[in-house]
Amino acid sequence: MKAPWFAQLLDQLPLLNQLQRQQLLAALHPAGGLDRVVALIDEIRSTGRRCPDCACERCHRHGRANDLQRFRCCACGRTFNDLTGTPLARLRHKGKWLDYLETVLDSRTVRPAAKRVGVHRNTAFRWRHRFLERVKHDRPARLAGIVEADETFLLESQKGSRKLDRPPRKRGGRAALRGISHHLDCILVARDRSGQTIDAVTGRGALKVVHLVTHLLPKLDPEALLVSDANAAYPAFARAHGVAHQVVNLSAGERVRNSVEGAIHVQNVNAYHRRFREWLARFHGVASRWLPNYLGWLWALDGRRVTSIEQLLRIAFGVINT
Ligand SMILES: [Zn+2]
């Protein structure tokens, strides 16, 4: 619009009534969301921008497309934008992304989120897992001091899969076998006393030493004291890798034991399990394949660690530990 016309338009704004003002704001909202998200993407990605193909840091501007600046790599000549090679590449309706991220911060389920943002529920579901794909990797580098570890189990679910590898269960079904079996997904959680937490979906069935080696050992400070229940995998793991270890014998009624290192218990990690289950209940059963994303989502929200859509978008790009 030419400048004099725009000046005229601005002059007329005081003439609007309340309803018209609201209609105008609603009409401008997606564009406002688009401007904001484009500016945020540029801010997040401008430091360390490099070619997704050859990792060269030298590139020059190469026009705009789909509301984003395109770049051309000086080394290989490929063109890219700030979303290329990220889980957010080729997602549409950028003007609605920030509204959508609000629904993630609010833990909204798919239908209310879709309604709030104004997209189809399938889109809301697809966005959920695109935005969470890197959120699940945003984890502390180290667990130190007293580190509580314990596993919890959820009924394995193939929700949304076209082919099941077992007979279908009735709605709200239960495991066909008692105790820990291949009908249950095992989730390992380890949490130190400063609240740093890691988790891993180790697969169906009981926890094994190899799971602790894969998921816990790389994160465990060499001086850490591991505390667990009486599951035999923990002492075997601790002995094999020279990890200091104490057991709380829950089945013998022991809850807390005082030692020179501090209070020996697994109550923090069990409380985390409880928060995860209670929070997860709103989704009415999630597919096993998506469990890591939900664990990442809870870790972002737990203890109000992530409270703004800007922070969340940053983590969705894999800019982690901020
Ligand atoms: Zn390149």
Side-chain angles (χ1 to χ4, degrees):
M1 182 182 267
K2 293 201 166 145
W5 286 51
F6 183 63
Q8 263 184 25
L9 183 74
L10 283 180
D11 283 344
Q12 304 210 347
L13 289 183
L15 306 176
L16 300 179
N17 65 29
Q18 193 197 11
L19 183 66
Q20 290 167 331
R21 274 198 300 277
Q22 280 174 0
Q23 286 175 339
L24 186 65
L25 281 174
L28 286 175
H29 183 77
L34 180 63
D35 292 344
R36 243 179 104 201
V37 80
V38 167
L40 260 174
I41 291 169
D42 183 63
E43 185 196 316
I44 293 169
R45 303 287 285 169
S46 59
T47 41
R49 182 181 284 129
R50 49 179 64 217
C51 167
D53 272 301
C54 72
C56 172
E57 284 177 19
R58 288 181 51 242
C59 59
H60 51 80
R61 288 167 181 269
H62 192 74
R64 288 183 82 83
N66 302 318
D67 305 309
L68 292 176
Q69 178 67 49
R70 282 197 79 76
F71 301 93
R72 191 180 160 90
C73 172
C74 293
C76 72
R78 295 266 178 91
T79 62
F80 60 94
N81 66 29
D82 281 333
L83 304 182
T84 309
T86 77
L88 308 185
R90 288 187 289 278
L91 282 193
R92 297 170 61 226
H93 310 301
K94 292 182 195 69
K96 297 179 174 181
W97 286 10
L98 296 182
D99 285 344
Y100 177 74
L101 288 174
E102 287 282 2
T103 73
V104 175
L105 283 182
D106 294 342
S107 303
R108 290 203 196 205
T109 55
V110 165
R111 278 162 200 264
K115 197 164 166 225
R116 162 88 173 72
V117 178
V119 293
H120 191 269
R121 59 181 186 276
N122 293 353
T123 306
F125 184 78
R126 189 167 61 249
W127 284 12
R128 170 186 288 176
H129 293 293
R130 292 283 196 93
F131 280 101
L132 293 177
E133 194 174 316
R134 292 193 180 170
V135 169
K136 68 170 180 268
H137 299 303
D138 176 40
R139 291 312 161 93
R142 271 264 179 275
L143 302 180
I146 292 179
V147 177
E148 301 174 28
D150 200 3
E151 65 281 10
T152 187
F153 293 89
L154 286 179
L155 192 57
E156 168 274 328
S157 164
Q158 297 173 35
K159 191 177 179 179
S161 300
R162 282 171 205 275
K163 279 189 187 156
L164 303 186
D165 61 11
R166 53 158 169 77
R169 280 190 293 256
K170 297 250 167 61
R171 203 179 164 85
R174 295 204 212 158
L177 302 173
R178 293 177 64 187
I180 297 165
S181 71
H182 61 278
H183 294 248
L184 298 174
D185 286 318
C186 176
I187 301 168
L188 170 70
V189 177
R191 185 170 170 93
D192 73 16
R193 293 280 161 90
S194 72
Q196 298 292 353
T197 307
I198 61 150
D199 53 62
V201 181
T202 62
R204 300 187 199 178
L207 182 76
K208 298 190 180 73
V209 174
V210 62
H211 301 140
L212 293 169
V213 173
T214 308
H215 301 291
L216 183 59
L217 190 61
K219 299 282 185 173
L220 208 53
D221 185 87
E223 303 295 314
L225 171 65
L226 179 65
V227 179
S228 73
D229 64 10
N231 182 331
Y234 294 101
F237 160 75
R239 263 196 314 278
H241 296 278
V243 174
H245 178 225
Q246 296 257 358
V247 172
V248 190
N249 198 344
L250 294 172
S251 54
E254 185 182 37
R255 299 216 163 271
V256 185
R257 185 170 70 246
N258 288 313
S259 77
V260 286
E261 291 94 351
I264 302 297
H265 61 77
V266 287
Q267 289 172 354
N268 292 316
V269 80
N270 287 337
Y272 195 83
H273 288 165
R274 198 159 51 243
R275 290 201 294 283
F276 180 58
R277 284 169 172 283
E278 284 169 5
W279 173 82
L280 199 66
R282 76 191 64 206
F283 301 110
H284 301 290
V286 304
S288 297
R289 62 185 291 237
W290 297 123
L291 267 181
N293 287 8
Y294 289 92
L295 284 159
W297 188 355
L298 179 75
W299 169 236
L301 302 182
D302 193 62
R304 294 181 59 74
R305 204 175 57 84
V306 172
T307 53
S308 74
I309 48 179
E310 289 81 4
Q311 262 179 306
L312 196 55
L313 187 63
R314 203 172 281 276
I315 305 172
F317 274 112
V319 182
I320 62 172
N321 289 322
T322 49

